[in-house]
Amino acid sequence: MSENKGNAFDFKLFKRLMSFTRPYRGIFIFVAFAAIVMSGLAVLRPFLLKLAIDDSIVPKDSEGFMTYVILMLVVLILEVVFQFAFIFYTNWLGQSVIRDMRQKLFRLMTSFKMQYFDKSAVGRLTTRAVNDVETISSIFSEGLFMIISDLLKMLVIAGFMLTQSWRLSLIVFIVLPFIMYATRVFQKAMKVAFEDVRNQVANLNSFVQERITGMKIVQIFTREKTEYERFQEINKKHRKAWIRTVWYNSIFFPIAEMAGAIATGLVVWYGGLNVIGGGAVTLGIITAFIQYAEMLFRPLRQIADKFNTLQMGMVAANRVFGILDTRSHIEDNGTINYTNTKGEIEFVDVHFGYLEGEEVIKGISFKANPGDTVAIVGATGAGKSTIINLLNRFYEINSGTIKIDNIDIKEYTLASLTSQIAVVLQDVFLFADTIYNNITLNNPNITEDDVIAAAKEIGVHKFIESLPGGYNYNVKERGSMLSSGQRQLISFLRAYVSKPSILVLDEATSSVDTYSEELIQTATDKITKDRTSIVIAHRLATIKKADKIIVMDAGKIVEEGTHHELLENEKGFYRNLYEVQFADGGNP
């Protein structure tokens, strides 16, 4: 990713961006051709007007004048046709490129390690995938090709002016170096300004998205005023960044306008004196040069304006490529497809830390036999949920081995591994969609009959049917229309219909009501039957039937055994956890 923010233009970045146009080479060439034709047609109109004045109006030749009028009309129609094609296909090309880029970006983000999302703000990633990619399209629709077209017009016009009157041309050209220098300074200043704008937009998006998502916490703790004040500060910085770009525009464009007016005035002054004195300059040439001067300076002003657009697009491209260049993937070098087999799990001296030098899992080893239910208990922060993350390869272990059916999980293809491990999390995430789609996740291999049959098997069909629309009930964003217990039941059904070899229940009953817990317990008994299951729980009453209970503390396994075996150790961790949990007379 380019770090040289002071450069007016990054050609290396531009070249990389242009690589996305290769599938549309034909359209790219046509647009370039249309730009060339438009520059030629732009020169013809003032020249035909010059001929009409000198050859027809001054000599009073009405027949010849009508010929020139018809020719100018033909040129005008051709200009309209080519301009339509140019505008349409530059926008078409831009939208096609960002479609491909956005698809590549989204596909890449779905393959990132969980560690990447731990460190990246959701609002910032959303800005990259939506706002920044959309800004890139303006490089094609309003920036690059428009600039090329304007530059071609300027070159053709300048060359043609010299063939008509080199003296008048020099008068116009005297002003050019000043406006070109001003344009160069303006471009450099705008590059830095737009970098700041994109930063502030990302900050604003991130802040607003997080506060809207966590609005309940904001209101519960009466932080409305504090968050509003913080928003005011961020919004002020956003405004300041934009005002900076407005300031540069306010300086540059009046200067450019004044330079164009001076050039036109000099043409009229010198040309008028020449005509009065009987020189070679004619009224037609003066009229044409007034138009040529305007056509020469207008593109220069527009180029600066379009360069703003190009700069914004390049800054956005720089940010998007920054994500595209991110190497944060779990290595998927496995060659074995894991299918529904035994489901034996074994951890062998596994070490892991989310941060370098800070181990969370400290050399644990355990085995879950096929069809067994293994419960993992321990205080908060003991490393229970981390085991689930490692089993799914959301993170890479530092050392040791994790095996399924006596094969290192790294030897399985990642897709086949995750397809055979179903996870029910404590914090259930549901999409703003129907219950049916949240269960199947749009898997075409799971039919509605499969879903209904599975729901009946685990005892949640009646609950779903009681909702308006049944399986077509829209749960809204994050499942807000359902209670936590209902969301949990949906997640159980989602896990069950996928028919996994291994089932993971992570704190699945820690925050639900008694009625939902009974349904969940029934569902748990059903879906864990004859299937290797790992259950993480704080509520020890839910795991008494487990084939094995593993007790963890500070990243280590401190005890293993059945519920009754562990209770026999009067000074054991499990016995202590059990007594603390039921000290208030709770039902053991």
Short mmCIF file of all heavy atoms in Angstrom, two decimals, residues 8 201 234 247 307 461:
data_model
loop_
_atom_site.label_atom_id
_atom_site.label_comp_id
_atom_site.label_asym_id
_atom_site.label_seq_id
_atom_site.Cartn_x
_atom_site.Cartn_y
_atom_site.Cartn_z
N ALA A 8 1.35 13.68 -6.21
CA ALA A 8 0.09 14.06 -6.82
C ALA A 8 -0.59 12.86 -7.45
O ALA A 8 -1.81 12.79 -7.52
CB ALA A 8 0.33 15.15 -7.88
N VAL A 201 -14.33 10.05 7.20
CA VAL A 201 -15.55 9.33 6.80
C VAL A 201 -15.57 7.95 7.46
O VAL A 201 -16.60 7.50 7.98
CB VAL A 201 -15.64 9.19 5.26
CG1 VAL A 201 -16.72 8.20 4.87
CG2 VAL A 201 -15.93 10.54 4.63
N ILE A 234 -16.30 14.13 16.51
CA ILE A 234 -15.97 13.38 15.29
C ILE A 234 -16.57 14.07 14.07
O ILE A 234 -15.92 14.21 13.03
CB ILE A 234 -16.47 11.93 15.40
CG1 ILE A 234 -15.70 11.20 16.51
CG2 ILE A 234 -16.29 11.18 14.08
CD1 ILE A 234 -16.25 9.83 16.83
N TRP A 247 -11.77 24.96 0.71
CA TRP A 247 -10.86 26.09 0.73
C TRP A 247 -9.94 26.08 -0.49
O TRP A 247 -9.76 27.09 -1.17
CB TRP A 247 -10.07 26.06 2.03
CG TRP A 247 -8.90 26.99 2.09
CD1 TRP A 247 -7.58 26.68 2.02
CD2 TRP A 247 -8.94 28.42 2.23
NE1 TRP A 247 -6.79 27.79 2.11
CE2 TRP A 247 -7.61 28.89 2.23
CE3 TRP A 247 -9.97 29.35 2.35
CZ2 TRP A 247 -7.28 30.24 2.34
CZ3 TRP A 247 -9.64 30.70 2.46
CH2 TRP A 247 -8.32 31.13 2.47
N PHE A 307 -9.65 15.96 -11.55
CA PHE A 307 -8.51 15.38 -10.84
C PHE A 307 -8.86 15.21 -9.36
O PHE A 307 -8.38 14.28 -8.70
CB PHE A 307 -7.27 16.27 -11.00
CG PHE A 307 -5.99 15.51 -10.79
CD1 PHE A 307 -5.35 14.90 -11.85
CD2 PHE A 307 -5.44 15.40 -9.53
CE1 PHE A 307 -4.17 14.19 -11.65
CE2 PHE A 307 -4.27 14.69 -9.32
CZ PHE A 307 -3.63 14.09 -10.39
N HIS A 461 -40.95 -27.33 16.64
CA HIS A 461 -41.87 -27.05 15.53
C HIS A 461 -43.07 -26.22 16.00
O HIS A 461 -43.47 -25.26 15.35
CB HIS A 461 -42.34 -28.37 14.91
CG HIS A 461 -43.36 -28.18 13.82
ND1 HIS A 461 -43.05 -27.60 12.60
CD2 HIS A 461 -44.71 -28.48 13.78
CE1 HIS A 461 -44.14 -27.55 11.85
NE2 HIS A 461 -45.16 -28.08 12.54
#
